[in-house]
Amino acid sequence: KRERLRLASVLNCFDLCLKGFGRENGLTESEGKFLIQVIFSTKIWATCNGSENELMVGQLLGIVGTIFEASSESCGKFYLVDALYPIVEKLSHSRSVVISQGASATLQRLSLALHYADLREMIRDNMDYIVDQAILSLENSRGFPIFSIKKLLRFIGPNLGMNLLHDLVGTVINNLDRCLLTDDIAFDYLEAMQLSVDCIEMTKFDWKAKGESEISVASGVASSENESNEPSVGRRCCENSKRIEEANGRVSSTSKNDNEAKAEEDESEKDKLFDDLEEKNKELIMESKEMKTVVKILQRSQHLLSFPSIKCRVLASNVILACLKKLDETKHEEILLPHVHKAWPFLMKRLNEFSLSRELLSRKSPSFLIIRAKQENTKHLEYQAGLLGVLETISSLVDLCGDFLALKFKNDLWPVFRNILSNYKGHFLGSNEKGKGRQSLSVKIFNSIFLCLDKFASSDECVHFIKRDALEIAEVSSVFLNTDDFPCSVALSARKLMASLDEIDAVNIKKCLN
């Protein structure tokens, strides 16, 4: 303890000595780099366990900031490459408030000492160094926590170039495959993958869009992809759109000249050109790093959907939905639908597992078994959250490709929905959740089912597939119309569904209600 106090006082004295150096006659490049290397190689910097170590790590962070303030701008930028990532790692790697706040304050001091406009600009200008060192740390250490990557993606994710993001995601997934997963580690990796998906921009592949916005996007992509001599994806998409516009112009001009034969020929040429360019654009998307990154994340998320932890399953379903939404932004059904088809068995397996589980609804335990009652209550809430997560994912997928999922409605979805609506409706009867009760997980589950059914029933593309089951759906759902027995939100959702079913088969639906 005395040695720690002595060391702390020595660190304070050293910090004060460094503050005495001016910019002009301060530290040289070799001196500053040597001091930083010594600090990062100490055992105190490597271990953050215990409150005393945390305070000393905070002192070391302060000394690093003082070193940059005691150096010239050119010297500081010389060893910023070595100092930036270890500080960013402390910002998120440790769960200690003392260390994270010390790292944040040190980064602010660095940005001011090096005359950056703000901290984000400093991070953005040195992003390649940070990502390279993060990848190196992940590759060299199987037990390396993912906190730093998550913090990095939250902080400057949108400004991260696609090349760096692709390399980072590849390393994260490789590290995920080789490490021993616990619930918390798997959850952290899923969060990192979700943040990575949010950073990917797929709308630039929508070459059919017209207007100045497309040209600006294409030019922005072109400026960020100057590494290759080939035209960028965005520029090629823009050129494809211009060729379509030229074909449209030829069609309109020939029509004005009343040359019907020529107009039909140009129209046919335009359609052929449209199909060819659409196919070429599809190939560009399939070869892009954006597409490869999204597919990698989607495949690993499907695998983690079977992880024992309920919270990991819920997050995995959210990541799957985020990936499929990114694929939908390409405006190519040939790209989206195969991946929906591959993800569907994983989602249905989890949906069936949750819906058939005995833990879905709580069971009453004797009052004297307090611990057991709390455990069962927590378990049934976890299963309800898992079921709700999968239901919300499927409901959102109906918005993306409802006509495709309508083919799977009768054999896959409706039997599960019917089972939940028929077997668990008694949970509300005589419970505290009827009337104007709170929005519990049980209420949200029923509302999500009715919302999903309503999306199918109100979609013109799905009506043909739903019509044959409309009467059975109405018979099962009509029980929930009574607000005296069920929560108001559930009753309103059921009434909205009945209104949509009435437009499909009015005669039989009215007989069912009577």
Side-chain angles (χ1 to χ4, degrees):
K1 206 168 185 181
R2 289 180 180 177
E3 290 181 357
R4 290 182 180 275
L5 291 174
R6 190 180 297 113
L7 180 59
S9 60
V10 170
L11 291 175
N12 282 330
C13 292
F14 185 67
D15 192 17
L16 292 173
C17 291
L18 285 175
K19 288 179 180 179
F21 284 85
R23 282 275 185 175
E24 296 180 358
N25 53 356
L27 297 173
T28 62
E29 289 183 357
S30 57
E31 291 172 346
K33 190 167 185 177
F34 172 76
L35 289 174
I36 288 175
Q37 289 176 348
V38 169
I39 290 173
F40 292 160
S41 62
T42 57
K43 292 182 180 180
I44 299 174
W45 182 269
T47 58
C48 303
N49 299 326
S51 58
E52 295 178 353
N53 276 354
E54 291 174 2
L55 293 174
M56 281 191 285
V57 171
Q59 285 182 299
L60 292 176
L61 285 166
I63 292 175
V64 173
T66 305
I67 291 173
F68 278 85
E69 291 174 346
S71 305
S72 63
E73 183 178 346
S74 60
C75 291
K77 288 186 177 181
F78 175 74
Y79 39 78
L80 178 65
V81 177
D82 298 323
L84 193 54
Y85 177 73
I87 301 174
V88 172
E89 186 180 353
K90 291 300 180 186
L91 182 69
S92 52
H93 172 61
S94 175
R95 297 185 185 274
S96 168
V97 178
V98 175
I99 296 177
S100 60
Q101 289 183 351
S104 179
T106 302
L107 289 173
Q108 293 288 350
R109 291 174 65 183
L110 265 58
S111 64
L112 292 173
L114 300 177
H115 298 124
Y116 284 101
D118 54 17
L119 179 56
R120 287 185 179 275
E121 183 184 356
M122 183 180 72
I123 298 293
R124 185 174 59 250
D125 291 350
N126 297 276
M127 180 51 58
D128 51 345
Y129 301 113
I130 298 175
V131 174
D132 287 344
Q133 292 186 30
I135 290 174
L136 188 63
S137 298
L138 283 169
E139 290 175 344
N140 293 340
S141 178
R142 295 191 176 188
F144 181 78
I146 200 66
F147 306 130
S148 300
I149 306 300
K150 287 165 51 180
K151 189 73 175 182
L152 194 64
L153 290 169
R154 284 195 184 101
F155 192 60
I156 40 77
N159 298 320
L160 194 62
M162 193 58 231
N163 291 331
L164 292 175
L165 182 62
H166 178 265
D167 295 340
L168 183 61
V169 169
T171 307
V172 167
I173 290 176
N174 291 337
N175 200 64
L176 169 66
D177 292 338
R178 61 177 183 162
C179 71
L180 180 63
L181 290 181
T182 62
D183 292 352
D184 292 335
I185 293 177
F187 191 82
D188 288 334
Y189 273 100
L190 281 167
E191 277 191 325
M193 288 191 285
Q194 186 172 34
L195 291 168
S196 301
V197 174
D198 295 338
C199 298
I200 299 174
E201 181 63 42
M202 300 291 284
T203 54
K204 68 180 181 181
F205 294 111
D206 186 12
W207 59 277
K208 303 173 190 176
K210 305 290 191 298
E212 297 179 356
S213 60
E214 180 195 38
I215 298 174
S216 62
V217 170
S219 61
V221 175
S223 63
S224 63
E225 296 184 4
N226 289 330
E227 301 173 359
S228 175
N229 293 327
E230 298 181 0
S232 66
V233 174
R235 181 173 293 175
R236 283 181 283 180
C237 292
C238 187
E239 290 173 356
N240 290 343
S241 180
K242 288 180 179 178
R243 292 174 65 185
I244 290 294
E245 289 179 2
E246 292 173 1
N248 284 330
R250 290 198 300 270
V251 172
S252 61
S253 62
T254 52
S255 298
K256 290 180 181 178
N257 295 331
D258 296 329
N259 192 345
E260 296 182 0
K262 184 63 176 176
E264 291 179 0
E265 182 180 347
D266 286 341
E267 184 69 31
S268 176
E269 180 185 352
K270 191 198 77 169
D271 292 340
K272 184 179 179 181
L273 178 62
F274 185 92
D275 294 338
D276 291 343
L277 294 180
E278 189 169 13
E279 186 64 28
K280 289 180 180 178
N281 255 52
K282 179 183 173 183
E283 293 177 1
L284 292 178
I285 296 172
M286 297 299 293
E287 295 172 359
S288 66
K289 289 187 176 180
E290 287 86 350
M291 180 69 184
K292 293 177 181 178
T293 303
V294 170
V295 171
K296 277 184 180 180
I297 295 174
L298 180 59
Q299 291 173 346
R300 291 307 186 280
S301 302
Q302 291 170 180
H303 171 69
L304 290 174
L305 198 60
S306 59
F307 202 75
S309 171
I310 302 297
K311 66 177 183 179
C312 290
R313 296 184 189 182
V314 174
L315 184 55
S317 64
N318 292 337
V319 177
I320 290 173
L321 177 60
C323 291
L324 294 176
K325 284 184 176 180
K326 288 296 178 181
L327 297 180
D328 182 61
E329 290 178 2
T330 63
K331 306 302 179 184
H332 281 275
E333 288 188 348
E334 297 87 350
I335 292 177
L336 171 65
L337 297 185
H339 289 285
V340 174
H341 180 70
K342 291 177 182 178
W344 186 253
F346 294 92
L347 293 171
M348 281 306 305
K349 188 172 182 179
R350 298 286 78 78
L351 182 63
N352 279 299
E353 179 182 344
F354 285 129
S355 64
L356 298 175
S357 174
R358 296 180 180 179
E359 307 293 342
L360 185 60
L361 297 178
S362 61
R363 300 189 300 273
K364 293 183 179 180
S365 299
S367 57
F368 58 86
L369 298 177
I370 299 176
I371 298 177
R372 179 181 175 184
K374 287 183 177 180
Q375 291 175 345
E376 290 184 354
N377 185 57
T378 302
K379 198 169 185 179
H380 98 86
L381 288 176
E382 288 181 352
Y383 272 78
Q384 286 185 347
L387 175 59
L388 180 61
V390 179
L391 286 173
E392 290 178 343
T393 299
I394 292 175
S395 180
S396 298
L397 285 179
V398 177
D399 296 328
L400 299 182
C401 51
D403 54 339
F404 179 73
L405 295 184
L407 298 170
K408 306 175 184 294
F409 180 81
K410 183 175 180 62
N411 296 327
D412 292 348
L413 278 179
W414 174 235
V416 179
F417 289 170
R418 181 179 55 202
N419 173 61
I420 297 174
L421 295 175
S422 301
N423 296 337
Y424 298 132
K425 62 185 178 183
H427 177 66
F428 294 116
L429 296 172
S431 70
N432 296 327
E433 300 184 34
K434 66 181 180 179
K436 296 182 179 180
R438 58 186 175 85
Q439 283 283 328
S440 65
L441 287 174
S442 301
V443 172
K444 291 179 180 179
I445 287 172
F446 280 78
N447 283 336
S448 183
I449 291 175
F450 285 127
L451 175 61
C452 189
L453 291 172
D454 182 60
K455 287 181 179 180
F456 279 114
S458 58
S459 174
D460 295 335
E461 299 174 341
C462 304
V463 167
H464 174 72
F465 302 96
I466 305 301
K467 187 174 183 179
R468 55 193 175 188
D469 299 311
L471 182 59
E472 184 181 6
I473 295 173
E475 290 175 350
V476 175
S477 304
S478 60
V479 182
F480 295 88
L481 299 176
N482 189 355
T483 56
D484 294 334
D485 296 328
F486 300 98
C488 291
S489 61
V490 174
L492 291 174
S493 299
R495 291 177 184 180
K496 186 179 178 182
L497 171 62
M498 296 300 289
S500 299
L501 293 173
D502 185 65
E503 296 181 2
I504 298 176
D505 191 0
V507 177
N508 291 325
I509 299 301
K510 288 180 180 178
K511 289 181 180 179
C512 174
L513 293 176
N514 293 332

